[in-house]
Amino acid sequence: MKPGGKDGKLYKIVKETVVEGGIDTALEKSGFYRILAVGSSSSLPQPSSEAIAKGARALGAGDVTHLWQGQKLASGDRVALLELVLIGFVKDVSNSKQGTSYDVSTQENLDSGNRAWITGAFTDSNGTINGTF
């Protein structure tokens, strides 16, 4: 949803087909995948040993990662593609802001008849969202 605009969209995440790793198993499409299992000789992306020494952790069951079409899966690897399904449209998003303006006119501005203004650093905003599902 985009605030302050119109025609936002609301999605839900659906787990699609589970892909089991094995000999010559490759992913058919790119996207975000939930890792269900990691094999002992996994071909899933993992951080380097240097990154692990600095606190990075390896991908494991339950993690979500982006994988590419053609990514090979080793025996024991199992992933599920996550798809976005449109469930609703958001319409009529009204948004208003109110802030303070300060007069910073110099004598030169006043002599020429052109005042100078700046807006304050803080604003108050409010609005409503009316949705159709």
Side-chain angles (χ1 to χ4, degrees), residues 19 66 96 106:
V19 181
H66 187 273
S96 64
T106 63

Side-chain angles (χ1 to χ4, degrees), residues 4-53:
K6 295 198 182 276
D7 299 330
K9 296 177 181 168
L10 182 64
Y11 295 90
K12 70 176 178 176
I13 299 173
V14 177
K15 186 165 57 171
E16 291 289 321
T17 310
V18 174
V19 181
E20 299 271 348
I23 299 172
D24 296 329
T25 302
L27 297 176
E28 294 181 9
K29 62 191 286 191
S30 297
F32 285 94
Y33 287 82
R34 179 174 305 279
I35 299 172
L36 303 176
V38 179
S40 58
S41 60
S42 178
S43 62
L44 294 171
Q46 298 297 338
S48 66
S49 56
E50 292 174 359
I52 290 175

Side-chain angles (χ1 to χ4, degrees), residues 68-80:
W68 292 267
Q69 179 180 7
Q71 168 83 35
K72 301 283 186 185
L73 294 180
S75 181
D77 289 343
R78 197 170 65 178
V79 296

Side-chain angles (χ1 to χ4, degrees), residues 39-112:
S40 58
S41 60
S42 178
S43 62
L44 294 171
Q46 298 297 338
S48 66
S49 56
E50 292 174 359
I52 290 175
K54 292 180 181 177
R57 69 175 184 83
L59 291 172
D63 290 337
V64 174
T65 188
H66 187 273
L67 300 174
W68 292 267
Q69 179 180 7
Q71 168 83 35
K72 301 283 186 185
L73 294 180
S75 181
D77 289 343
R78 197 170 65 178
V79 296
L81 177 64
L82 301 177
E83 291 283 345
L84 293 178
V85 176
L86 181 66
I87 60 172
F89 296 93
V90 178
K91 305 253 188 214
D92 301 328
V93 179
S94 63
N95 191 2
S96 64
K97 292 186 178 183
Q98 182 176 351
T100 307
S101 295
Y102 299 99
D103 185 356
V104 292
S105 302
T106 63
Q107 188 64 44
E108 183 180 344
N109 295 127
L110 296 174
D111 290 344
S112 65

